[in-house]
Amino acid sequence: MPQHLHVSPDRNAARQVKAVLGPTNTGKTHLAIERLCAHSSGAIGFPLRLLAREVYDRVCAIKGEKSVALITGEERIEPKDARWLLCTAEAMPVGADLAFVAIDEAQLSADRERGHIFTDRLLHARGREETLILGSATLEPMVRALVPEAEIVSRPRFSTLSHSGAKKLSRIPPRSAIVAFSAEQVYTIAEMLRRYRGGAAVVMGALSPQTRNAQVALYQSGEVDYLVATDAIGMGLNLDVSHVAFAGLSKFDGVRQRRLTTSEMAQIAGRAGRHQRDGTFGTLAGTGKHDAEFADEEVYAIEEHRFPPLAKLFWREAEPRFDSLGALIADLETLPVEPELLAAPEAIDLAVLKRLADEPEIAETVRSPRDVERFWEACSLPDFRQQGAETHARFVARLWQDLRRGQLGSDYVAQAIAALDVPSGDIDTLQGRIAAIRSWAYIAQRPDWVVAKEEMAERARAVEARLSDALHGRLTERFVNRRTAVLMKKLGPDAGLLPVRLDGDDVLVDGEHIGTLQGFRFQVDPLARHSDRKLLLAAAERHVPALAAERAQALARSIAEGSAALELQKGAIVWDGEKLAQLERGKAILAPQLVPDRATGLLPDAARRALTSALEGWLEKDLGSLAPLKRLDEASQSHDAGPELRALLIRLVEAGGMMSREGSGIDQLDKSQRGQLAKLGVKVGALDIFVAAMLRPAPLTAWRELAALGGTRQRAAEPDPVMPPALASTRKKIPPGYRRVGKQWLRLDMAEKLLREAHAVRVPSGRRPFILNPAKAVSMGLTTQSYSQLLRLGGFRPVMPRPLAEGTFGPPAPLVWRWRPSRKPPAQRKPARVRQDSAFAALAELVR
């Protein structure tokens, strides 16, 4: 059954629960370490593995390594006699009998992804003698409501924090941290600092703790004077930072792009001015972001540490039942009783559980309560690779197929770890391998998942260390120029960034050509790579996004007006010879997905969205000629059409609206279904079934582009730009919209027209032979031989006239035809027998 939310009052009677609340730089973590070491045993739960490791090293120096344990999902150091435990919040032993327990950054109980973990620790993690709840002052009303027995202690900040306004990157003072909210922006700013400040250390959440520590050490040692980071800097990094500059004030929170709350702004800005040194914060000027300025009320809130109190915390049942998968999911989705609590949004572990529980082949392997519990443990594997629930669920499914049979073999795990032990590659590649090895480190730490657990865990840690060293080297190599850093320390800061403008495609820095902007791809002039032009390059790359944004907005307007010269070539939308976007196969052949080209990545978000929207509108208009096929596609999804008609329509759509009648299944349709076909514009001919509106160059060209996206068929032949009634069969592939007759291609509607005219002559003749005039066929460009071949395909048979009697003179009798449709395919039909010495042998050859 679901657990109670509160610890009973009699159990708390002998405990001291204290909530130490306040802004950053108030010494809360230092106090927790002092109290931990003052007790005979204890544990502290941290929000980050990095923090747990840092405090572990400090406590080891006080208590000795044999008495201190580090417990995280990926790393466990647990000496036999360990009494002081440093953990991540998720790995805290909540029910352990410890004299002291502390939970750090408890305000994360309001976090959408991990809030339910911190709420559970807030409610249930208790020390035998003392409990500390550390967090922001915004948590106070929640502590009073949910932990009424707690004594609340407020702590003031040791130093002041003041707003210094907006500064250009060239004016940012040394010992500053610049905070951005995407890896691309972090890299761009770090590159600029390398060019005219000597470089910067880089800190992002995707880095391993070892790489992050190495980058921080690079900054702390003074080798570089700047640190570029994501909001990962806002928690747990004690740095010698005097100023924090925000490159933007909005971020994507996993659901939407939104502005930072004042509490989040303060958490990041609070990295400046640690201990007794005052600090400043501001924004980075000239970023082109409309939201990169603090409002007056935000400045006041940050400087005075006044923030809206938290009104709700996220909660999820921490002790669900394992009777069945249904019971487990029901408990995890149980709504909280207390008004201060909200049901946590669906975390990735629950999303993976529900996806896999819906798959019968997996669900049937999870039967007993022990199976359910073990399956939930597998679903709780963190998504270190950040690839989303669907991809992560596939990884968990493969893992479960092995776990349900017992433990993972050491050879299998060792092979998986060894495959990742490749320290070569660029920054993104190494980050991907580190994320993957963290998954295996987590798996190896589970008590009953892996044979030779200790050995495999050690191997995973060793590989992570090597990859982290390699990543640190790549970051330093890319973002630190030691020679320039030394020169900048000697010469001081440079003047402001030089003016940059666009002349046609040429990018000019202070009037000097430095490169070209081809489409939205900036290409540097190779002659500009000299060291004396380093600042010119930095200035150009600094302003190119704004220049490209102006070009994107102008192009979007031209597209809307219909004046832009866009083309669809080989699955790509091309403008002025440059690819703007690529089409990819969607759920259906007529619903392709548009993927903007990587070159548009340098555009600001608003400009990129406007351009993408304009391209989508152009594509919809350009594919408008496929409306007849789209009607067929919609009809194929209607259950009223019946399975036979739906199957035929699906094949017609996949074939571009035309197919041979033979083997099509048309004869299985009833009169009503044939009527529906006619209403949809489908012509049922003697030889072919086709949509007449598709027999034009524009729709055939559009369909050819879409058909090539799937990869399931060879690229169709290119349509004839004019599409005359008949073509010579000189091409290797049959052009769409035509069928082969003799040595020529004949357009499908023309073939049907000629056959209908032949039938119009046949019907009045009854069973008597009749004469067909080839004049119409000849006017279309068909030879008489090709026309005769068409008639034979349509079921007509030539009747050879009798030769003139010997000694008789005059014109020969004309060739006549009979209607004798064969039940055999054309390839199996026998030709008419004619004596080789007959005068009509040549004619017989002609009509074959």
Side-chain angles (χ1 to χ4, degrees):
M1 293 298 294
Q3 65 180 1
H4 297 291
L5 294 181
H6 297 301
V7 178
S8 59
D10 58 332
R11 285 188 65 192
N12 285 326
R15 302 178 176 185
Q16 180 185 10
V17 181
K18 185 181 295 185
V20 182
L21 308 177
T24 57
N25 194 25
T26 56
K28 297 187 293 293
T29 304
H30 182 73
L31 171 65
I33 297 172
E34 285 185 341
R35 299 307 304 148
L36 173 73
C37 294
H39 285 277
S40 60
S41 62
I44 304 178
F46 295 96
L48 299 174
R49 173 189 173 194
L50 176 72
L51 274 177
R53 181 76 202 209
E54 179 184 330
V55 176
Y56 166 78
D57 292 336
R58 292 170 62 181
V59 177
C60 280
I62 300 171
K63 296 293 186 179
E65 292 185 359
K66 294 184 178 179
S67 300
V68 185
L70 173 67
I71 305 176
T72 70
E74 306 148 68
E75 187 176 11
R76 300 178 77 94
I77 303 175
E78 297 180 88
K80 181 180 179 181
D81 299 323
R83 291 187 290 155
W84 293 278
L85 316 178
L86 291 311
C87 322
T88 51
E90 287 83 352
M92 283 186 73
V94 178
D97 183 17
L98 300 169
F100 172 82
V101 168
I103 175 70
D104 193 22
E105 304 289 0
Q107 75 277 0
L108 288 177
S109 298
D111 180 72
R112 292 182 58 86
E113 295 182 9
R114 303 169 65 204
H116 62 280
I117 299 292
F118 285 83
T119 299
D120 178 71
R121 305 303 184 258
L122 175 72
L123 296 173
H124 301 102
R126 296 291 183 266
R128 187 174 60 247
E129 299 170 7
E130 182 180 2
T131 300
L132 282 187
I133 300 171
L134 312 176
S136 167
T138 60
L139 188 62
E140 181 175 342
M142 294 293 96
V143 172
R144 292 190 183 280
L146 297 171
V147 193
E149 71 274 13
E151 174 190 356
I152 296 179
V153 179
S154 298
R155 291 175 70 96
R157 183 178 167 91
F158 291 153
S159 59
T160 61
L161 194 58
S162 57
H163 182 241
S164 62
K167 291 182 173 67
K168 291 183 177 180
L169 188 61
S170 58
R171 300 295 185 183
I172 297 294
R175 313 311 295 168
S176 292
I178 298 97
V179 180
F181 294 95
S182 70
E184 292 77 8
Q185 196 175 17
V186 167
Y187 293 162
T188 299
I189 294 172
E191 288 275 15
M192 293 162 62
L193 288 171
R194 181 185 188 276
R195 283 176 167 83
Y196 59 92
R197 284 291 181 272
V202 171
V203 171
M204 298 185 295
L207 302 183
S208 66
Q210 182 175 332
T211 305
R212 213 179 318 181
N213 285 339
Q215 288 290 303
V216 168
L218 187 69
Y219 172 81
Q220 291 289 80
S221 67
E223 188 169 350
V224 292
D225 276 333
Y226 298 91
L227 180 74
V228 187
T230 60
D231 53 349
I233 193 180
M235 193 172 297
L237 290 177
N238 295 317
L239 304 168
D240 180 21
V241 173
S242 60
H243 177 75
V244 172
F246 288 76
L249 293 174
S250 66
K251 71 173 184 177
F252 182 73
D253 63 2
V255 178
R256 60 187 175 89
Q257 187 77 18
R258 63 168 178 82
R259 190 174 180 86
L260 301 175
T261 65
T262 51
S263 296
E264 291 171 330
M265 294 175 183
Q267 186 74 27
I268 297 170
R271 296 301 105 188
R274 306 298 288 173
H275 303 297
Q276 299 297 328
R277 295 189 304 277
D278 295 339
T280 59
F281 68 96
T283 55
L284 194 62
T287 61
K289 291 183 175 289
H290 66 279
D291 64 345
E293 288 292 340
F294 286 104
D296 292 341
E297 56 270 21
E298 292 170 338
V299 173
Y300 174 78
I302 296 171
E303 290 182 341
E304 300 299 324
H305 314 300
R306 297 180 181 274
F307 311 109
L310 294 176
K312 300 285 183 181
L313 302 182
F314 288 117
W315 176 87
R316 188 175 80 179
E317 177 58 57
E319 294 183 1
R321 294 168 296 160
F322 298 111
D323 300 342
S324 66
L325 287 176
L328 172 61
I329 294 173
D331 282 1
L332 292 173
E333 293 183 335
T334 300
L335 298 178
V337 177
E338 277 69 7
E340 295 83 11
L341 301 178
L342 280 177
E346 185 177 84
I348 192 166
D349 53 0
L350 179 55
V352 169
L353 171 64
K354 292 169 69 175
R355 274 176 168 79
L356 298 183
D358 286 338
E359 298 185 13
E361 62 273 15
I362 293 180
E364 67 184 11
T365 65
V366 186
R367 297 186 181 90
S368 68
R370 176 59 189 138
D371 287 343
V372 175
E373 183 176 5
R374 190 172 173 84
F375 184 60
W376 172 234
E377 291 172 353
C379 293
S380 300
L381 172 69
D383 181 19
F384 293 109
R385 294 172 294 178
Q386 298 294 309
Q387 292 182 336
E390 189 61 39
T391 302
H392 190 51
R394 293 301 97 211
F395 180 77
V396 172
R398 291 193 299 271
L399 175 65
W400 172 248
Q401 293 303 324
D402 295 324
L403 285 178
R404 72 185 183 88
R405 290 190 288 267
Q407 293 181 308
L408 302 179
S410 55
D411 291 343
Y412 170 70
V413 177
Q415 185 178 4
I417 293 173
L420 297 169
D421 192 6
V422 184
S424 60
D426 58 15
I427 292 174
D428 292 337
T429 301
L430 288 171
Q431 283 182 325
R433 291 194 191 120
I434 289 175
I437 199 64
R438 291 178 71 185
S439 297
W440 286 106
Y442 183 96
I443 291 169
Q445 293 295 343
R446 300 298 304 173
D448 59 347
W449 283 15
V450 179
V451 176
K453 166 180 170 291
E454 298 296 335
E455 179 187 351
M456 294 303 107
E458 182 58 35
R459 288 193 185 191
R461 285 196 295 269
V463 171
E464 182 181 351
R466 283 192 289 273
L467 293 175
S468 297
D469 287 342
L471 179 56
H472 173 61
R474 300 294 187 282
L475 291 169
T476 303
E477 178 184 340
R478 178 171 173 181
F479 299 125
V480 177
N481 185 326
R482 289 183 167 85
R483 178 176 177 274
T484 303
V486 172
L487 289 175
M488 294 307 302
K489 288 181 182 294
K490 292 180 179 179
L491 300 176
D494 193 74
L497 293 176
L498 298 172
V500 179
R501 63 185 178 89
L502 192 62
D503 182 11
D505 286 343
D506 294 331
V507 179
L508 305 179
V509 179
D510 200 23
E512 183 172 351
H513 181 268
I514 207 70
T516 57
L517 188 63
Q518 297 180 350
F520 299 101
R521 198 183 307 276
F522 176 57
Q523 294 189 349
V524 178
D525 185 345
L527 298 178
R529 285 296 186 186
H530 296 79
S531 59
D532 59 341
R533 295 192 177 186
K534 187 184 303 178
L535 296 183
L536 300 180
L537 289 173
E541 295 185 2
R542 172 70 175 79
H543 287 278
V544 159
L547 298 175
E550 295 177 4
R551 173 172 283 185
Q553 291 167 351
L555 177 58
R557 289 193 296 269
S558 298
I559 294 173
E561 296 167 359
S563 58
L566 299 181
E567 295 179 327
L568 189 59
Q569 298 179 0
K570 296 183 179 180
I573 299 178
V574 178
W575 172 63
D576 197 21
E578 294 293 324
K579 185 169 72 172
L580 298 181
Q582 183 73 39
L583 300 188
E584 292 183 358
R585 182 75 175 258
K587 293 183 179 179
I589 189 173
L590 298 179
Q593 292 184 343
L594 186 142
V595 180
D597 188 69
R598 291 177 59 185
T600 63
L602 61 82
L603 295 174
D605 292 341
R608 186 167 58 251
R609 285 196 298 269
L611 179 60
T612 302
S613 177
L615 292 175
E616 289 173 344
W618 177 88
L619 179 63
E620 183 177 359
K621 185 176 180 181
D622 189 68
L623 298 180
S625 59
L626 295 179
L629 275 190
K630 291 183 179 179
R631 288 196 296 271
L632 266 63
D633 186 50
E634 293 171 359
S636 71
Q637 300 175 31
S638 172
H639 293 284
D640 295 336
E644 299 85 1
L645 179 56
R646 291 175 63 193
L648 177 61
L649 291 174
I650 290 172
R651 292 178 60 191
L652 266 176
V653 171
E654 292 179 347
M658 56 204 73
M659 62 190 296
S660 174
R661 176 167 179 160
E662 185 178 352
S664 65
I666 186 68
D667 296 328
Q668 299 178 16
L669 302 187
D670 58 27
K671 184 177 180 181
S672 172
Q673 291 173 320
R674 287 175 178 259
Q676 293 182 55
L677 271 184
K679 291 180 181 179
L680 292 170
V682 178
K683 302 291 185 182
V684 179
L687 299 178
D688 302 284
I689 302 173
F690 58 93
V691 180
M694 286 295 297
L695 299 179
R696 298 187 181 95
L700 287 178
T701 300
W703 175 81
R704 177 174 179 264
E705 291 290 343
L706 298 187
L709 299 178
T712 57
R713 59 167 66 241
Q714 293 183 350
R715 189 172 182 86
E718 187 174 355
D720 187 276
V722 180
M723 293 198 69
L727 291 170
S729 59
T730 56
R731 305 185 184 188
K732 293 182 178 180
K733 292 184 179 180
I734 181 170
Y738 288 81
R739 74 156 32 248
R740 182 166 186 164
V741 287
K743 296 182 178 180
Q744 290 181 282
W745 306 122
L746 181 62
R747 210 170 66 204
L748 300 184
D749 56 344
M750 293 296 101
E752 179 60 19
K753 183 176 182 180
L754 291 174
L755 290 175
R756 285 186 180 276
E757 289 185 359
H759 280 290
V761 175
R762 172 187 68 82
V763 172
S765 302
R767 296 188 176 184
R768 291 173 298 170
F770 47 90
I771 299 173
L772 294 177
N773 189 349
K776 177 75 73 175
V778 172
S779 69
M780 293 181 183
L782 276 185
T783 64
T784 54
Q785 182 178 6
S786 297
Y787 178 53
S788 297
Q789 179 66 24
L790 173 66
L791 292 174
R792 290 181 61 83
L793 291 173
F796 294 89
R797 297 292 178 265
V799 178
M800 298 301 168
R802 294 180 180 179
L804 294 175
E806 187 173 350
T808 306
F809 301 92
L815 178 68
V816 293
W817 297 83
R818 287 184 183 275
W819 167 243
R820 289 181 180 175
S822 174
R823 295 182 179 179
K824 295 183 179 180
Q828 300 179 15
R829 296 172 187 165
K830 296 181 180 180
R833 295 182 179 179
V834 181
R835 290 172 52 188
Q836 294 300 314
D837 57 351
S838 169
F840 293 97
L843 180 60
E845 182 64 28
L846 183 67
V847 299
R848 283 178 184 172

